[in-house]
Amino acid sequence: MRIDILTVLPELLESPLSHSIVKRAKEKKLVEINIINLRDFTTDKYKSVDDYAFGGGAGMVMMIEPVYKAIEKLKSERDYDEIIYTSPDGENLNQKIANQLSLRNNIIILAGHYKGVDQRIRDNLITREISIGDYVLSGGELPAAIITDAIVRLIPGAISDEQSALSDSFQDDLLAPPVFTRPAIFKGWKVPDILLSGNTGEIEKWRHEQSLERTRLLRPDLNNEE
Ligand code: SAM
């Protein structure tokens, strides 16, 4: 899989995509992630990527040309399954969307900045718009990193025990059961006896019941009826 992220602030994306599961997935060549600086697609000496909004008003707008050139260059090199724009008014990111995207081969993610990108890019080049929640951030770099992380950890082989991604919250519309590690007793706080029993079948049953109970209590809106 290949993910190309277009941004005016590449520095913001470097660290989030250089550690842990994403780093290992890159090392194992399961995913190639390219962070592309939109300033490399400008023609003026100031490398401008923003301009005043037509009609006036506060805030700058991401210019159409550098974004268009960057996307067209990538598209001339390979086919893309999705060209995503990060936007507070997009569809809310959830596990189903992450699952779908993890099955794609090539994705572009355009991280917005300023007041956002010129609408004509959204109308003509973008295939999907994704929000990471109902709040406004300064730029789309962190959303792009979050979307990438959510996708990459689902690629088979990215996590050593593949089951571990599949048993995370929201797969099957269930929240994950509680987890414990050593010591078995800390300050009198005990790990549930069942987890120390060694009875795998009973442990799985207990975990499933815990998942159902947590979901019922914390997220009754999830459809987890069996
Ligand atoms: N004027 C825009 C609005 O009101 O919808 C917000 C612009 S915001 C300051 C700059 C950029 O950050 C956006 O264009 C978008 O790419 C990104 N962004 C901000 N919040 C986001 C969110 N919740 N989800 C995804 N992207 C977001």
Side-chain angles (χ1 to χ4, degrees):
M1 174 180 224
R2 177 182 169 122
I3 303 176
D4 293 302
I5 305 177
L6 307 181
T7 170
V8 297
L9 259 183
E11 300 82 359
L12 250 180
L13 278 156
E14 272 151 25
S15 178
L17 301 176
S18 304
H19 302 278
S20 182
I21 293 167
V22 177
K23 177 184 176 201
R24 288 199 294 277
K26 288 196 289 190
E27 286 168 354
K28 289 189 205 164
K29 308 254 179 279
L30 298 171
V31 65
E32 178 184 339
I33 301 173
N34 301 297
I35 300 169
I36 296 164
N37 191 343
L38 285 167
R39 291 183 202 280
D40 293 341
F41 294 85
T42 54
T43 43
D44 68 312
K45 65 175 178 177
Y46 302 108
K47 296 192 174 292
S48 313
V49 285
D50 59 317
D51 207 340
Y52 295 100
F54 276 129
M60 304 298 277
V61 176
M62 276 174 88
M63 292 161 68
I64 197 166
E65 247 193 311
V67 178
Y68 178 84
K69 280 189 189 159
I71 292 179
E72 287 305 306
K73 177 171 183 289
L74 290 170
K75 280 169 66 177
S76 72
E77 293 163 354
R78 70 196 61 77
D79 290 334
Y80 281 90
D81 305 295
E82 291 290 5
I83 304 178
I84 297 167
Y85 177 54
T86 63
S87 184
D89 58 10
E91 55 184 330
N92 269 317
L93 181 64
N94 60 29
Q95 196 61 43
K96 278 196 185 70
I97 295 175
N99 289 346
Q100 281 169 10
L101 293 175
S102 72
L103 301 173
R104 308 284 194 258
N105 288 323
N106 299 316
I107 295 176
I108 295 174
I109 305 178
L110 170 63
H113 223 88
Y114 316 109
K115 293 295 275 182
V117 74
D118 188 304
Q119 182 63 34
R120 290 167 289 179
I121 290 286
R122 300 175 68 170
D123 292 344
N124 295 293
L125 296 181
I126 298 299
T127 61
R128 191 161 196 170
E129 302 191 328
I130 296 181
S131 165
I132 60 156
D134 292 347
Y135 43 84
V136 174
L137 300 167
S138 313
E141 286 73 20
L142 298 178
I146 286 169
I147 295 166
T148 302
D149 188 301
I151 297 172
V152 170
R153 66 197 311 286
L154 293 169
I155 300 173
I159 295 182
S160 43
D161 173 7
E162 279 175 39
Q163 280 308 313
S164 132
L166 296 178
S167 63
D168 280 340
S169 290
F170 304 111
Q171 298 289 7
D172 299 328
D173 285 327
L174 285 174
L175 300 182
V179 291
F180 302 86
T181 187
R182 290 182 292 181
I185 303 178
F186 178 78
K187 293 187 184 289
W189 304 336
K190 286 185 68 194
V191 168
D193 289 338
I194 182 72
L195 296 177
L196 309 176
S197 70
N199 186 333
T200 337
E202 284 302 310
I203 291 173
E204 276 317 301
K205 199 169 142 222
W206 179 86
R207 285 187 170 141
H208 187 60
E209 283 162 3
Q210 290 288 315
S211 274
L212 286 170
E213 186 55 21
R214 277 194 162 190
T215 312
R216 258 195 296 271
L217 276 173
L218 302 174
R219 291 296 303 273
D221 56 304
L222 294 175
N223 177 18
N224 57 62
E225 293 308 317
E226 294 187 308

